[in-house]
Amino acid sequence: MQKAFFTALLAAGLGTAALAQNKPASSSKTYSAAGRQVQVYTTASGTQQRLAAGEKLSFQQVGQPLETQPTVFVDPTHTFQTMVGIGGALTDASAETFAKLPKAQQQEFLRAYYSPTQGIGYTLARTNIASCDFSSDTYAYVQDGDKELKTFSVKHDEQYRIPFIKQAIQAAGGKLPLYVSPWSPPAWMKDNNSLVQGGKLKPEYRQAWANHFVKFIQTYEKLGMPVWGLTVQNEPMAKQRWESCIFTAEEERDFVKNYLGPTLKKGGMADKKLIGWDHNRDLMFQRAATLFDDPEASQYYWGLGYHWYETWTGSGMQFDNLRRVHETYPQKNLVFTEGCVEKFDLGNVQDWKLGEKYGNSIINDLNAGTVAWTDWNVLLDETGGPNHASNFCYAPVIADTKAGKLIYTNIYYYIGHFSKFIRPGAKRVAVTASRDALQATAFLNTDGKVAVVVMNSTEKEQPFQLWIKGQAAQTTSPSHSILTLVVN
């Protein structure tokens, strides 16, 4: 009964438009923390604690906190957006690396990511349409000049990626919402006749390219991999030395309005979640305004995807841009579609700052209204690849393919503090902290449990009380740590 109820809630969260996802805060029933216990899970620098279950805390009546009492305030009666899922990308690089592992380590990897009890319970996945930089080579699914797509084949993917995705779905319990993203149309469809270095889709191939999306989704689904959604173009404003294609905001709008949207609808795929932009936070408001202020285009868009690489300009992460999009277009869904730490160095995989970058982003992204959060590669090898463009990066789990073992970075544990405890269907609730050393977000799960994530990236430990409507539980946030406090 409980499983059926949860499944129904999950289906509702994934299968409907944004109806309740992005409404302003609503006040639900009354909530009392009296008599409840809090289970604390800790990951902390300089310790062996990694998602470690610690003491159970009890609430006591305290009333009005003082300014001298550091406090994290949570109010579960005020709810915001509904969580769709948290996960990572199942790329060619991840699949090829996975294939090099011994069977025992492959099973360990699948449990570590997809088991909600033995692992961190990923509930979302992304994969690439044709090649991307995290592929060992460049490739396309159709032969040159085949406008009718008669030669379309995903045979390339059958060696590594398709078996990998299927095993991930199975490890996740048979359901793993998957969305798909292209890095480039086939070279012959572009004005630079190349998969790389940007270029643009030629006008005469717009319909063929829209048909290509439908063909890919149909093919993957026939092979047993249901596709939940798609993005229009990965990083449409980036000219890269790897697969890339430029779409201005107006070009993306018109492609979706006149070609991709109608083609998906005609192909019986109007229910697929179409996500625009799929690039950095810096330009996202201009993109949102162009796509969503046009009613004909907007009808096809479920939401807007974004990355965190605006930092390449020297900027910090621009969370305010995210908030502006959310408050201006509350009916659209925000999805973090990609992020990773670049410039891989095997000697640096245990740097604590790696995880803290993730914690800072996830907390701020969720608090700004994001409904789904997807890391980049779930697995890479000891070089930070394979990557045909030498764009080597970090992943939460690194495979030492020579030794046949897995290396868990603290990124894995930091993401786990969210993915393991904030489940699909959970609603974000109001949370604030009285000290800037404590960053926090909180969600009310469908089973009634409240998950509060608190991060401390300072050098000092910070005692605080978790305060819910006059009841408080005392605990301490260690220096350079992340806690998940589950209120039962």
Side-chain angles (χ1 to χ4, degrees):
M1 179 71 182
Q2 189 177 16
K3 186 178 180 184
F5 174 66
F6 180 80
T7 303
L9 279 169
L10 176 57
L14 294 174
T16 61
L19 294 178
Q21 300 248 357
N22 288 324
K23 289 192 301 186
S26 61
S27 183
S28 58
K29 298 174 183 176
T30 58
Y31 184 96
S32 174
R36 297 180 188 264
Q37 285 197 316
V38 184
Q39 177 66 65
V40 183
Y41 299 86
T42 304
T43 296
S45 177
T47 74
Q48 296 300 310
Q49 293 177 298
R50 300 293 182 270
L51 279 169
E55 59 177 332
K56 288 188 177 179
L57 313 176
S58 297
F59 284 99
Q60 294 182 334
Q61 180 74 32
V62 295
Q64 174 65 55
L66 303 175
E67 292 174 293
T68 53
Q69 296 175 296
T71 303
V72 172
F73 299 93
V74 177
D75 188 344
T77 68
H78 290 281
T79 60
F80 302 87
Q81 81 271 18
T82 302
M83 178 57 67
V84 168
I86 298 172
L90 305 172
T91 59
D92 289 315
S94 295
E96 290 167 33
T97 301
F98 177 82
K100 293 177 183 175
L101 287 169
K103 288 290 183 189
Q105 279 64 44
Q106 289 182 345
Q107 293 306 307
E108 177 193 332
F109 168 87
L110 292 168
R111 283 193 303 272
Y113 268 118
Y114 298 104
S115 169
T117 52
Q118 298 174 280
I120 60 173
Y122 268 13
T123 52
L124 190 64
R126 180 192 192 207
T127 199
N128 44 296
I129 298 176
S131 63
C132 66
D133 49 330
F134 279 93
S135 304
S136 290
D137 54 355
T138 59
Y139 63 90
Y141 296 133
V142 290
Q143 293 176 10
D144 287 0
D146 178 15
K147 192 175 178 179
E148 303 301 319
L149 309 182
K150 291 178 181 176
T151 59
F152 186 93
S153 169
V154 296
K155 187 170 180 59
H156 174 280
D157 302 356
E158 290 173 359
Q159 184 176 5
Y160 297 115
R161 183 147 55 105
I162 288 172
F164 180 56
I165 293 172
K166 286 185 172 182
Q167 287 185 72
I169 293 171
Q170 185 179 9
K175 284 189 177 178
L176 185 63
L178 174 71
Y179 67 99
V180 298
S181 304
W183 267 243
S184 175
W188 54 270
M189 288 191 186
K190 296 168 65 183
D191 61 5
N192 68 345
N193 201 37
S194 174
L195 292 175
V196 304
Q197 295 294 337
K200 290 192 175 188
L201 178 66
K202 289 181 178 180
E204 61 265 33
Y205 293 125
R206 287 171 185 159
Q207 187 57 58
W209 182 228
N211 294 342
H212 189 284
F213 280 88
V214 171
K215 196 85 170 173
F216 177 82
I217 293 170
Q218 286 175 338
T219 304
Y220 259 49
E221 293 198 326
K222 281 177 185 173
L223 292 169
M225 296 164 289
V227 173
W228 168 77
L230 65 157
T231 71
V232 181
Q233 168 64 44
N234 178 73
E235 299 188 347
M237 289 307 295
K239 178 183 176 182
Q240 305 283 27
R241 64 179 185 271
W242 53 86
E243 292 85 340
S244 44
C245 184
I246 304 296
F247 282 82
T248 66
E250 292 77 15
E251 286 165 346
E252 181 188 337
R253 175 197 67 199
D254 293 346
F255 174 63
V256 165
K257 177 167 63 175
N258 299 320
Y259 297 94
L260 183 56
T263 302
L264 289 169
K265 188 175 180 180
K266 186 179 176 183
M269 297 183 182
D271 62 328
K272 304 302 182 193
K273 306 299 182 278
L274 184 60
I275 299 164
W277 187 223
D278 199 8
H279 204 166
N280 300 329
R281 299 183 190 97
D282 49 4
L283 302 181
M284 67 184 299
F285 185 86
Q286 178 257 348
R287 183 69 52 145
T290 306
L291 305 182
F292 302 154
D293 286 349
D294 184 312
E296 287 184 70
S298 183
Q299 66 176 316
Y300 297 113
Y301 282 103
W302 181 77
L304 202 76
Y306 65 94
H307 301 180
W308 73 16
Y309 309 112
E310 65 268 21
T311 52
W312 76 270
T313 64
S315 168
M317 292 188 189
Q318 296 185 284
F319 302 114
D320 273 350
N321 291 356
L322 202 53
R323 297 183 186 101
R324 293 298 85 76
V325 171
H326 179 59
E327 65 191 16
T328 308
Y329 304 98
Q331 76 281 12
K332 299 298 186 185
N333 296 276
L334 290 171
V335 181
F336 182 89
T337 47
E338 185 186 318
C340 71
V341 179
E342 299 156 290
K343 299 178 181 176
F344 180 80
D345 177 357
L346 184 60
N348 206 32
V349 293
Q350 298 303 340
D351 185 344
W352 205 257
K353 291 178 183 176
L354 296 173
E356 288 186 337
K357 180 170 184 174
Y358 276 77
N360 177 56
S361 181
I362 297 173
I363 287 172
N364 281 281
D365 292 337
L366 296 179
N367 287 346
T370 295
V371 303
W373 208 95
T374 327
D375 184 33
W376 191 204
N377 304 275
V378 292
L379 179 70
L380 292 172
D381 68 17
E382 63 275 7
T383 70
N387 185 296
H388 71 79
S390 300
N391 180 33
F392 302 118
C393 297
Y394 291 85
V397 181
I398 300 295
D400 182 340
T401 58
K402 297 187 177 88
K405 67 177 185 178
L406 298 172
I407 302 166
Y408 294 84
T409 74
N410 72 324
I411 299 170
Y412 169 83
Y413 299 104
Y414 268 71
I415 297 175
H417 274 272
F418 302 90
S419 62
K420 189 176 177 71
F421 304 105
I422 300 169
R423 306 301 291 168
K427 288 185 177 293
R428 184 171 64 87
V429 301
V431 61
T432 61
S434 68
R435 296 291 188 275
D436 66 354
L438 301 175
Q439 293 180 266
T441 193
F443 281 75
L444 173 63
N445 282 291
T446 57
D447 62 4
K449 293 180 180 180
V450 176
V452 186
V453 183
V454 178
M455 186 174 99
N456 174 6
S457 56
T458 74
E459 298 289 338
K460 295 181 180 179
E461 70 173 24
Q462 178 64 71
F464 71 96
Q465 58 180 349
L466 178 66
W467 190 99
I468 303 178
K469 293 186 174 293
Q471 298 277 332
Q474 305 287 335
T475 190
T476 296
S477 170
S479 65
H480 293 292
S481 72
I482 186 165
L483 311 177
T484 302
L485 303 98
V486 178
V487 184
N488 296 304

